[in-house]
Amino acid sequence: LVELAGTVQAVDQAAIAAKVTGVITKVPVALGSQVKAGDLLISISAEEIAAKLSQAETQLAQAKRNLEREQNLLAKNAATANTVKSMADAYAIAQAGYREAKTMLGYATITAPFDGVITRKLVSSGDLAVPGTVLLQIENPRKLKVTAAVPESLILSLHTGDTLTINIPAASASVQGLVSEIAPAADPGSRTAPITIELPGDPKLRSGQFARVFLPGKEGKTLLVPSSAI
């Protein structure tokens, strides 16, 4: 057998970041909190966006009234088709602006994308949220995998669906994992290719644990003699 070093990781993991700038008003989760998909993670103050939504809503209502008025006038031959078309275009633009403002306001409330556990908490109430900056990290501890780098000399002997033995010393566990992904190309620097191995559910396993992955080695022939013959 050939032994390789690997790392236990969550299959489902996400870095939660903001899409709008604003002051964080609520973080109802703590490090290690169990959350369900859709649970509130972070609320961001978005008064400016709320004002834009109100403005867009007013513009949409006005554009609708203008369109309906011109349509009524056209029915009485008191308006032109071009005028009605212009009003219809203005109404469509107002609708798009309203949808955009409503979507932006929705970004002020961040919810959990899936069931999981909060593994990193980098902000608190009162902090400033900036687009692209990670605020929280969430993982699903029920679905784990092991990632390992396999030497290029052995990668061709592996196939997706193969079963490998994995030992996790910290959990005193030895399990059978299923190879789910194999990189199609090797890293020219390390001459290794990463693989992913799905793990069965085990409450003792944790993301970040060190793992030993055992691969079947190549068969070889050698000559042996009994020690008494020497």
Side-chain angles (χ1 to χ4, degrees):
L1 294 177
V2 177
E3 181 181 323
L4 301 176
T7 303
V8 178
Q9 297 180 350
V11 173
D12 297 326
Q13 53 182 310
I16 307 299
K19 292 185 177 181
V20 295
T21 300
V23 176
I24 296 173
T25 58
K26 187 184 297 185
V27 187
V29 295
L31 194 63
S33 293
Q34 299 271 353
V35 296
K36 296 289 186 181
D39 285 354
L40 177 65
L41 299 181
I42 291 175
S43 290
I44 300 173
S45 176
E47 295 181 2
E48 182 178 351
I49 299 175
K52 289 182 178 180
L53 177 61
S54 179
Q55 181 181 10
E57 190 173 7
T58 301
Q59 291 173 343
L60 176 61
Q62 183 178 0
K64 184 179 180 180
R65 288 194 301 270
N66 292 341
L67 176 59
E68 290 175 346
R69 183 185 67 248
E70 292 302 321
Q71 287 175 332
N72 291 333
L73 291 175
L74 180 62
K76 300 175 182 178
N77 294 322
T80 65
N82 286 336
T83 302
V84 173
K85 185 179 183 305
S86 297
M87 292 299 175
D89 291 342
Y91 179 61
I93 293 173
Q95 282 182 312
Y98 173 76
R99 287 195 298 267
E100 180 183 8
K102 188 175 182 179
T103 299
M104 292 297 294
L105 185 61
Y107 292 152
T109 300
I110 302 176
T111 58
F114 50 78
D115 296 354
V117 176
I118 303 300
T119 56
R120 294 182 68 196
K121 181 183 176 184
L122 305 175
V123 293
S124 301
S125 296
D127 289 343
L128 179 66
V130 179
T133 301
V134 176
L135 309 175
L136 299 171
Q137 183 140 353
I138 180 175
E139 296 181 358
N140 182 358
R142 296 183 180 180
K143 297 173 61 178
L144 299 175
K145 64 182 180 181
V146 167
T147 56
V150 179
E152 61 181 4
S153 59
L154 298 175
I155 197 66
L156 293 179
S157 64
L158 286 177
H159 304 87
T160 55
D162 287 351
T163 299
L164 300 178
T165 299
I166 301 170
N167 180 262
I168 297 92
S172 301
S174 182
V175 299
Q176 300 294 310
L178 200 67
V179 178
S180 60
E181 295 179 346
I182 300 175
D187 182 351
S190 63
R191 302 299 178 187
T192 61
I195 66 170
T196 301
I197 308 161
E198 294 181 357
L199 296 179
D202 190 327
K204 294 182 295 183
L205 302 185
R206 296 286 188 276
S207 178
Q209 288 175 328
F210 171 76
R212 292 190 175 96
V213 180
F214 297 96
L215 303 182
K218 292 184 178 180
E219 293 184 357
K221 294 182 178 180
T222 186
L223 295 176
L224 300 174
V225 296
S227 58
S228 59
I230 299 176

